[in-house]
Amino acid sequence: MRQDVRVPLPDGGSLAATVALPQGTAPAAGWPGVVVLHEIYGIEPDMLDVVDLFAEHGYAAVLPDLYSHGTRVGCLSRAMHQFVTEKPGQPAAD
């Protein structure tokens, strides 16, 4: 079962994310979980297949859209600038 959710952030914003859960009733301790990170181009259909595959194997999987807390081009340029200058900022915090 896959659904779109919003993940709240400390600054009051949120990230869009896709969550995939295994079928059936969750164990008492909850499902083991995994965070799936997308490639530089953002969420593509093959990344959704990856979260589904984890769910089929008994994991709760979340795929956050790391570009949903700003524009895609802006996030890419900010992230690259932060890596080069070694000054962490919003993309790293998200």
Side-chain angles (χ1 to χ4, degrees), residues 27-40:
W31 300 111
V34 62
V35 176
V36 178
L37 298 179
H38 61 72
E39 300 168 336
I40 195 166

Side-chain angles (χ1 to χ4, degrees), residues 36-53:
V36 178
L37 298 179
H38 61 72
E39 300 168 336
I40 195 166
Y41 300 111
I43 294 178
E44 298 287 333
D46 61 326
M47 298 308 298
L48 297 171
D49 293 341
V50 170
V51 294
D52 289 342
L53 186 60

Side-chain angles (χ1 to χ4, degrees), residues 1-7 15-22 31 43 48 51-52 55 60-65:
M1 175 178 80
R2 187 191 320 156
Q3 64 181 14
D4 293 327
V5 298
R6 301 290 305 181
V7 178
L15 287 178
T18 300
V19 174
L21 300 175
W31 300 111
I43 294 178
L48 297 171
V51 294
D52 289 342
V62 62
L63 172 62
D65 181 350

